[in-house]
Amino acid sequence: MHGPDRPGLVARVSGWIFERGGNILHADQHSDTEAGIFFQRVEWASAPGGAAADAAVFRAFAESLGMTARVASSTRRPRVAVLVSKFDHCFHDLILRGKAGELAGDIVAIVSNHSDLEAATRSYGLPFHLIPVTAATKPADEARQLALLRQLDVELIVLARYMQVLSADFLDKAGRPVINIHHSFLPAFAGGKPYHQAAARGVKLIGATAHYATAVLDDGPIIQQDVARVTHRHSVEDLIRKGRDLEKTVLAQAVRWHLENRVLVYGNKTVVFD
Amino acid sequence: MHGPDRPGLVARVSGWIFERGGNILHADQHSDTEAGIFFQRVEWASAPGGAAADAAVFRAFAESLGMTARVASSTRRPRVAVLVSKFDHCFHDLILRGKAGELAGDIVAIVSNHSDLEAATRSYGLPFHLIPVTAATKPADEARQLALLRQLDVELIVLARYMQVLSADFLDKAGRPVINIHHSFLPAFAGGKPYHQAAARGVKLIGATAHYATAVLDDGPIIQQDVARVTHRHSVEDLIRKGRDLEKTVLAQAVRWHLENRVLVYGNKTVVFD
Amino acid sequence: MHGPDRPGLVARVSGWIFERGGNILHADQHSDTEAGIFFQRVEWASAPGGAAADAAVFRAFAESLGMTARVASSTRRPRVAVLVSKFDHCFHDLILRGKAGELAGDIVAIVSNHSDLEAATRSYGLPFHLIPVTAATKPADEARQLALLRQLDVELIVLARYMQVLSADFLDKAGRPVINIHHSFLPAFAGGKPYHQAAARGVKLIGATAHYATAVLDDGPIIQQDVARVTHRHSVEDLIRKGRDLEKTVLAQAVRWHLENRVLVYGNKTVVFD
Amino acid sequence: MHGPDRPGLVARVSGWIFERGGNILHADQHSDTEAGIFFQRVEWASAPGGAAADAAVFRAFAESLGMTARVASSTRRPRVAVLVSKFDHCFHDLILRGKAGELAGDIVAIVSNHSDLEAATRSYGLPFHLIPVTAATKPADEARQLALLRQLDVELIVLARYMQVLSADFLDKAGRPVINIHHSFLPAFAGGKPYHQAAARGVKLIGATAHYATAVLDDGPIIQQDVARVTHRHSVEDLIRKGRDLEKTVLAQAVRWHLENRVLVYGNKTVVFD
């Protein structure tokens, strides 16, 4: 939940949970003192049989405090669609982490504009959806993607090195968070071929950035970033190889946090309760 | 505060503060579910004029919850003594951070078993106390140190590459936390000449560890650790030079956290509410 | 090559290559001034058609300089066997890196003492060899493993979280380098259950170490190490999850360097020409 | 030395040194295969009494190979001027590292546009030169600075958080390398108030960049960069505090490498032979 900061919010929320027989497992809060906004993430065990009722009533309670709240049950696993093109490192990484139990959600489909990863997808026992995208037919292609995502009832869309820019219209109509991995330390090297840009500028660190996609390219709220050291000895190919490792871990971390409801977006920034 | 975990602790504490007109600025809690211990650090602004009363009453309130509490006023700055020998990097670093306002306490004296850093200490406008220590006279020397520290009324003792092992008796009688910096990634390379040990073992990372000194050498609760990458190209002298930077930042971080009352010790471990 | 250091070695070697029409692509050397040992790795393009002859003659030339040399052709890809048990993260990671072209060698077989990873191995199109190992039959089991590895003609054995300790006899008879991944920052937490040891000691960083296996458990020459930050909030399960990422990248890096002939072992240490 | 790449360069250079009775201590080379440029740094011990002659003749020898060479004697310590304003962290850090023997050069003067650091400078036993700079009188102020630097015979100018932009004319007339520390991960957040920019963008890492100053602000060849992790909990003040540590180590590293002749500039990039 988040909203205008004022005294007593922590006491009111923890008191509400205690009175209903719940037990707080984790609680984390943050006040943006400049903006006067209070953020809180509370994880609690409801009294036996009380989870459904708690969820229904908490939102109203939070509203009575002037807060906007989102309530999620940890037993419900969000459905996730992963969009890919030809690069397969984030694709394998996310699926294997899912199988290893690292993600609090289920990857229910792979959607791609190329058929390259169809066999690998099927060997994982996952459905593969091919929707080619061309510049000329993009609006229609995106309409097909949207229809599919709606039909799959996904709650999170992950761009795992998906090489098409999604239109503002798509993002608007999707109405679902879209997490993208950009292969640079944003805001440096936004746009195409960031490793080539990095090599040309002679930086000593390369990075990767996971962020929510917004209508402005590579400008959405940043969830996670990391960097790796490079030297003059590294060719652009080396940067790409090292970058793959960054992209995998940064994207996976962002997806994991999102699925555990640890990421709050406000303005163009995120609060990550890790 | 910390003590046996049970439902409602967060609600009780935050309610207590709210009822007395206080406002929670930060609150962080942790449950060690294996050990069944609840830890909490709450930072609050008391109602105008209420700080002294709050401090006096809170401890009793916490005890009524079965908790052990420590209450500190952020306007009171603990007095700190820094023990040094001949190495000066942590010495300069701590003093300069103090002057830069990074530490929530005051370095009130430098105590050394050598006179090497006397002039530098005085140029910072700080008192310098020379207490030589020899193997033969150690009990008497430590008695002089203890008398001085008591007279200086210090609440924290920092060993900034102080090259004498403090006896269990000293630590017991001091009755004050003692933070030491060990120049390795403990528990690897405990004891003397850790950089030489590291070079001999051929590790690819060297480290530094800040910990509370206890009767067992290099075995006290760890507060902070960090590492730096080394290669076969680095001589022992290079390890020592790189290690100096680690030692400075790791010790300073530990001292800073301690002075902000962010470190809780339990068993042989720490909870750091950073 | 490596051997007793003396003036002129770089000139002699580079002159030899130049005279035979070769072109040095990379050259890196290191003198252990304490031990008086000179190490060099030279990568050169032989004159057209001269590679085979160069390889044959270079060793003799190096011997004439008092050096021990190993010569490898970058067009020959060593055959690699990966030993696994039930953990699959390093298993998937190594195979996928192989398929991505990151390794200068070929994984030709998976050998396991459990059948858990048989299906996954086959889905990658790789042969899977099941050789159960029990305490009672270990000598015979190791004999079967040795026979298999000899038959497979492998030049490198990788223990990708293989959960049996290889006997000194096995290592001796294998006569091939064996790279192991240990899930701690060695020499801290050698032996079993290192993440539990780390949690018990309250360290603030956990690590992973890739090293050559020797007769002394967890004591062989270290090739690569890395660490990740942990806090009191991380349970042993979290340490294990974070550790998986460390283990994957550290083991892969060590295998990659080994296959590119970048690792020289001397005494119980390595020189890595990265 | 650097110049057009061609076969035999390593052999020719190492042969030249060997023939004159020298002994190579370190040698490192790099080929930018795209640009076809060969870079080499060789550190050698001349035959007794031969150092001066070697230096004089080597440049001509390198030219005969088509190379541009710079020869420096490791016994000669370059004179360094440090320009400061009011921030003192890099100022103290550089001076203390100099005193600790970490720099292969001598800080011979502190030059400032403010008098704040005069007393601290004098307590280090260093000369302090006050040259106020105003927008209206900048050309004349820079002329005074240039005259002073020439008179001091410095070979390196270090901007240790010096808060005035040096004009292209100054840089041109100085004819000496100028190392600047910028408090961001360039090219992100060039220009003023980078920590505020970073906070506004919501990045998860902040950085610092040491680079040679050129006529284009914050665009010169990068020598060294590093980053530190930040979260929503960090205020701009925290970013500034954490940034100080980055700035100190990154600037010191760059100055150290430069003074050891480890940095070669070409185009707008650097090759650092570390």
Side-chain angles (χ1 to χ4, degrees):
Chain A
M1 54 180 248
H2 69 279
D5 199 3
R6 57 176 174 129
L9 289 170
V10 173
R12 294 291 298 275
V13 171
S14 54
W16 186 91
I17 292 168
F18 184 50
E19 282 157 24
R20 296 175 67 91
N23 191 20
I24 291 179
L25 303 174
H26 296 287
D28 205 350
Q29 51 277 328
H30 172 64
S31 296
D32 185 322
T33 48
E34 267 182 57
I37 303 177
F38 174 83
F39 302 87
Q40 190 175 36
R41 178 183 183 275
V42 191
E43 203 177 317
W44 77 89
S46 296
D54 274 13
V57 191
F58 185 85
R59 218 179 332 252
F61 165 68
E63 268 167 35
S64 77
L65 300 173
M67 297 280 131
T68 305
R70 191 155 50 88
V71 188
S73 163
S74 60
T75 58
R76 249 200 79 257
R77 296 176 62 81
R79 297 166 60 84
V80 181
V82 177
L83 269 65
V84 300
S85 290
K86 297 185 173 187
F87 293 121
D88 66 354
H89 51 287
C90 288
F91 159 85
H92 286 299
D93 186 71
L94 283 173
I95 293 174
L96 288 169
R97 286 179 195 273
K99 288 181 182 290
E102 291 188 16
L103 305 179
D106 295 313
I107 298 174
V108 296
I110 304 295
V111 182
S112 182
N113 55 334
H114 294 283
S115 59
D116 300 56
L117 298 181
E118 176 156 12
T121 300
R122 301 216 184 281
S123 82
Y124 284 122
L126 286 173
F128 182 88
H129 302 272
L130 177 66
I131 302 184
V133 176
T134 65
T137 61
K138 194 155 183 177
D141 303 333
E142 288 197 338
R144 288 180 60 201
Q145 291 173 326
L146 284 168
L148 172 65
L149 295 169
R150 230 171 269 128
Q151 179 197 321
L152 290 169
D153 196 23
V154 302
E155 289 163 74
L156 174 66
I157 299 163
V158 179
L159 310 183
R161 297 300 312 278
Y162 177 66
M163 301 303 278
Q164 293 281 333
V165 176
L166 296 175
S167 72
D169 186 56
F170 177 100
L171 294 170
D172 184 46
K173 286 187 179 146
R176 295 282 177 271
V178 176
I179 297 179
N180 182 44
I181 180 74
H182 182 78
H183 39 317
S184 90
F185 178 78
L186 286 174
F189 311 130
K193 292 199 172 279
Y195 292 128
H196 291 77
Q197 290 183 54
R201 181 62 186 90
V203 290
K204 303 300 185 185
L205 298 166
I206 57 165
T209 303
H211 65 98
Y212 290 110
T214 58
V216 183
L217 184 67
D218 297 336
D219 191 51
I222 293 170
I223 307 169
Q224 172 70 335
Q225 303 188 287
D226 205 359
V227 295
R229 198 159 285 280
V230 295
T231 74
H232 59 274
R233 298 198 178 286
H234 293 96
S235 63
V236 169
E237 286 67 39
D238 292 324
L239 302 196
I240 290 171
R241 176 180 53 74
K242 287 176 85 88
R244 282 200 296 260
D245 279 350
L246 288 174
E247 294 161 28
K248 286 190 290 190
T249 51
V250 166
L251 178 60
Q253 181 75 285
V255 169
R256 199 165 64 83
W257 280 336
H258 177 92
L259 289 173
E260 293 174 359
N261 298 295
R262 295 183 181 280
V263 189
L264 289 187
V265 176
Y266 76 113
N268 203 37
K269 299 203 277 186
T270 63
V271 167
V272 178
F273 288 122
D274 65 332
Chain B
M1 54 180 247
H2 69 280
D5 199 2
R6 58 178 173 127
L9 289 170
V10 173
R12 293 293 297 274
V13 171
S14 55
W16 188 91
I17 292 167
F18 183 49
E19 283 157 24
R20 295 175 67 90
N23 190 20
I24 292 179
L25 303 174
H26 296 288
D28 206 348
Q29 50 277 328
H30 172 63
S31 296
D32 185 322
T33 49
E34 269 182 55
I37 305 175
F38 175 83
F39 302 86
Q40 190 175 36
R41 178 183 184 274
V42 192
E43 203 178 318
W44 77 90
S46 296
D54 274 12
V57 191
F58 185 84
R59 217 178 332 249
F61 165 69
E63 269 165 35
S64 76
L65 300 173
M67 297 279 130
T68 307
R70 193 156 49 88
V71 188
S73 162
S74 60
T75 58
R76 251 199 78 256
R77 296 175 62 81
R79 296 165 62 83
V80 181
V82 178
L83 270 64
V84 299
S85 290
K86 297 185 172 188
F87 293 120
D88 65 355
H89 51 288
C90 288
F91 159 85
H92 286 298
D93 187 69
L94 282 174
I95 294 174
L96 288 169
R97 286 181 196 273
K99 288 181 183 290
E102 291 188 16
L103 305 179
D106 294 313
I107 298 173
V108 296
I110 304 295
V111 183
S112 183
N113 56 335
H114 294 284
S115 59
D116 301 57
L117 299 182
E118 176 158 10
T121 301
R122 300 215 186 281
S123 81
Y124 283 122
L126 286 172
F128 181 87
H129 302 272
L130 177 66
I131 302 183
V133 177
T134 68
T137 61
K138 192 153 183 179
D141 303 334
E142 287 197 340
R144 289 180 61 200
Q145 290 173 327
L146 283 168
L148 172 66
L149 294 169
R150 231 172 270 127
Q151 180 197 321
L152 290 168
D153 195 22
V154 302
E155 290 163 72
L156 174 67
I157 300 163
V158 179
L159 309 183
R161 295 301 309 278
Y162 177 67
M163 301 303 278
Q164 293 282 332
V165 175
L166 296 176
S167 71
D169 186 57
F170 177 99
L171 294 170
D172 184 46
K173 287 187 179 147
R176 296 282 178 270
V178 176
I179 297 179
N180 182 44
I181 180 76
H182 182 78
H183 40 316
S184 89
F185 177 78
L186 287 175
F189 312 129
K193 292 200 171 280
Y195 293 129
H196 291 77
Q197 291 184 54
R201 180 63 186 91
V203 291
K204 303 301 185 187
L205 298 167
I206 57 166
T209 303
H211 65 98
Y212 290 110
T214 58
V216 183
L217 184 67
D218 297 336
D219 192 50
I222 293 170
I223 308 169
Q224 172 69 333
Q225 304 188 286
D226 205 359
V227 295
R229 199 159 284 282
V230 295
T231 74
H232 60 274
R233 298 198 178 285
H234 292 96
S235 64
V236 169
E237 286 68 40
D238 292 324
L239 302 196
I240 290 171
R241 175 179 54 74
K242 287 176 85 87
R244 283 200 295 260
D245 279 349
L246 288 174
E247 295 161 28
K248 286 189 291 189
T249 51
V250 167
L251 177 59
Q253 181 74 285
V255 170
R256 199 163 66 82
W257 279 336
H258 176 92
L259 290 172
E260 294 174 359
N261 298 295
R262 296 183 180 279
V263 189
L264 290 186
V265 176
Y266 76 112
N268 203 37
K269 300 202 277 185
T270 63
V271 167
V272 179
F273 288 123
D274 66 332
Chain C
M1 56 180 246
H2 69 278
D5 199 3
R6 58 178 173 126
L9 288 170
V10 173
R12 294 291 297 274
V13 171
S14 54
W16 187 91
I17 292 168
F18 183 49
E19 284 157 23
R20 294 175 68 89
N23 191 21
I24 292 178
L25 303 175
H26 296 287
D28 205 350
Q29 51 277 328
H30 172 64
S31 296
D32 184 322
T33 49
E34 269 182 55
I37 304 176
F38 174 83
F39 302 87
Q40 189 174 38
R41 177 182 182 276
V42 192
E43 202 179 317
W44 77 90
S46 296
D54 274 12
V57 191
F58 186 85
R59 217 178 333 249
F61 165 69
E63 269 167 35
S64 77
L65 300 173
M67 297 280 130
T68 307
R70 192 157 48 88
V71 188
S73 163
S74 60
T75 58
R76 250 199 79 257
R77 296 175 62 81
R79 295 166 61 84
V80 181
V82 178
L83 270 63
V84 300
S85 291
K86 296 184 173 189
F87 292 120
D88 66 355
H89 51 287
C90 288
F91 159 85
H92 286 299
D93 187 70
L94 283 174
I95 294 174
L96 288 169
R97 286 180 196 273
K99 288 181 183 290
E102 291 188 17
L103 305 178
D106 295 312
I107 298 173
V108 296
I110 304 295
V111 183
S112 182
N113 55 335
H114 294 283
S115 59
D116 301 56
L117 299 182
E118 176 157 10
T121 301
R122 299 216 186 281
S123 82
Y124 283 122
L126 286 173
F128 181 87
H129 302 272
L130 177 65
I131 302 183
V133 177
T134 67
T137 61
K138 194 154 182 178
D141 303 333
E142 287 196 339
R144 288 180 61 200
Q145 291 173 326
L146 284 168
L148 173 65
L149 294 169
R150 231 172 270 128
Q151 180 196 320
L152 290 169
D153 196 21
V154 302
E155 289 163 74
L156 174 67
I157 300 163
V158 179
L159 309 183
R161 296 301 310 278
Y162 177 67
M163 300 303 278
Q164 293 282 331
V165 176
L166 297 176
S167 71
D169 186 57
F170 177 99
L171 293 170
D172 184 46
K173 287 187 178 147
R176 295 283 177 269
V178 176
I179 297 179
N180 182 44
I181 180 75
H182 182 77
H183 39 317
S184 89
F185 177 78
L186 287 174
F189 312 129
K193 291 200 172 281
Y195 293 129
H196 291 77
Q197 291 184 54
R201 181 62 186 91
V203 292
K204 303 301 185 185
L205 298 167
I206 56 166
T209 303
H211 65 98
Y212 290 110
T214 59
V216 183
L217 184 67
D218 297 336
D219 192 53
I222 293 170
I223 308 169
Q224 172 70 333
Q225 304 187 287
D226 205 358
V227 295
R229 198 158 285 281
V230 295
T231 75
H232 61 274
R233 297 197 179 285
H234 293 96
S235 64
V236 169
E237 286 67 39
D238 291 325
L239 303 196
I240 290 172
R241 175 180 53 73
K242 287 175 85 88
R244 283 200 295 261
D245 279 350
L246 288 173
E247 295 161 27
K248 287 189 291 190
T249 51
V250 166
L251 178 59
Q253 181 74 284
V255 170
R256 198 164 66 82
W257 280 337
H258 177 92
L259 290 172
E260 292 174 359
N261 298 295
R262 297 184 179 279
V263 189
L264 290 187
V265 176
Y266 76 113
N268 204 37
K269 300 202 276 185
T270 62
V271 167
V272 178
F273 289 122
D274 66 332
Chain D
M1 54 180 248
H2 69 277
D5 199 3
R6 58 178 174 126
L9 289 170
V10 174
R12 294 291 298 275
V13 170
S14 54
W16 186 91
I17 293 168
F18 183 50
E19 283 157 24
R20 295 174 68 90
N23 191 19
I24 291 179
L25 302 175
H26 296 287
D28 205 350
Q29 50 276 328
H30 172 64
S31 296
D32 184 322
T33 49
E34 267 182 57
I37 305 176
F38 175 83
F39 301 88
Q40 189 174 36
R41 177 182 183 275
V42 192
E43 202 178 318
W44 78 90
S46 295
D54 274 11
V57 192
F58 185 84
R59 217 179 333 250
F61 165 68
E63 268 167 35
S64 77
L65 300 173
M67 298 279 131
T68 307
R70 191 157 49 88
V71 188
S73 163
S74 60
T75 58
R76 249 199 80 257
R77 297 176 61 81
R79 297 166 61 84
V80 180
V82 177
L83 270 63
V84 299
S85 290
K86 297 185 173 188
F87 293 121
D88 65 355
H89 51 287
C90 288
F91 159 85
H92 286 298
D93 186 71
L94 282 174
I95 294 173
L96 287 169
R97 286 180 195 273
K99 288 181 182 290
E102 291 188 17
L103 306 179
D106 295 313
I107 299 174
V108 296
I110 304 296
V111 183
S112 183
N113 55 335
H114 294 283
S115 58
D116 300 57
L117 299 181
E118 176 156 11
T121 301
R122 301 217 184 279
S123 81
Y124 284 121
L126 286 173
F128 182 88
H129 302 273
L130 176 66
I131 302 184
V133 177
T134 66
T137 62
K138 193 154 183 179
D141 304 332
E142 288 196 339
R144 289 180 60 201
Q145 290 173 326
L146 284 168
L148 173 65
L149 295 168
R150 229 172 271 128
Q151 180 197 321
L152 290 168
D153 196 22
V154 302
E155 289 163 73
L156 174 66
I157 299 163
V158 178
L159 309 183
R161 297 299 312 278
Y162 177 66
M163 300 302 280
Q164 293 281 334
V165 176
L166 296 175
S167 71
D169 186 56
F170 177 100
L171 294 170
D172 184 46
K173 286 186 178 148
R176 295 283 177 270
V178 176
I179 296 179
N180 182 43
I181 180 74
H182 182 79
H183 39 316
S184 89
F185 178 78
L186 287 174
F189 312 128
K193 293 199 171 280
Y195 293 129
H196 291 76
Q197 291 184 54
R201 181 62 186 91
V203 290
K204 303 301 185 185
L205 299 167
I206 56 165
T209 303
H211 64 98
Y212 290 110
T214 58
V216 182
L217 183 66
D218 298 334
D219 191 52
I222 293 170
I223 307 169
Q224 172 70 333
Q225 302 188 288
D226 205 358
V227 294
R229 199 159 285 281
V230 295
T231 75
H232 59 274
R233 298 199 178 284
H234 292 95
S235 63
V236 169
E237 285 68 38
D238 292 324
L239 302 196
I240 290 171
R241 175 180 54 75
K242 287 176 85 88
R244 283 200 294 261
D245 279 349
L246 288 174
E247 294 161 27
K248 286 190 291 189
T249 51
V250 166
L251 178 59
Q253 181 75 284
V255 169
R256 198 165 66 82
W257 279 337
H258 177 92
L259 290 172
E260 293 174 359
N261 298 296
R262 296 183 181 281
V263 189
L264 289 186
V265 176
Y266 76 111
N268 203 38
K269 299 202 278 187
T270 63
V271 168
V272 178
F273 288 121
D274 65 332

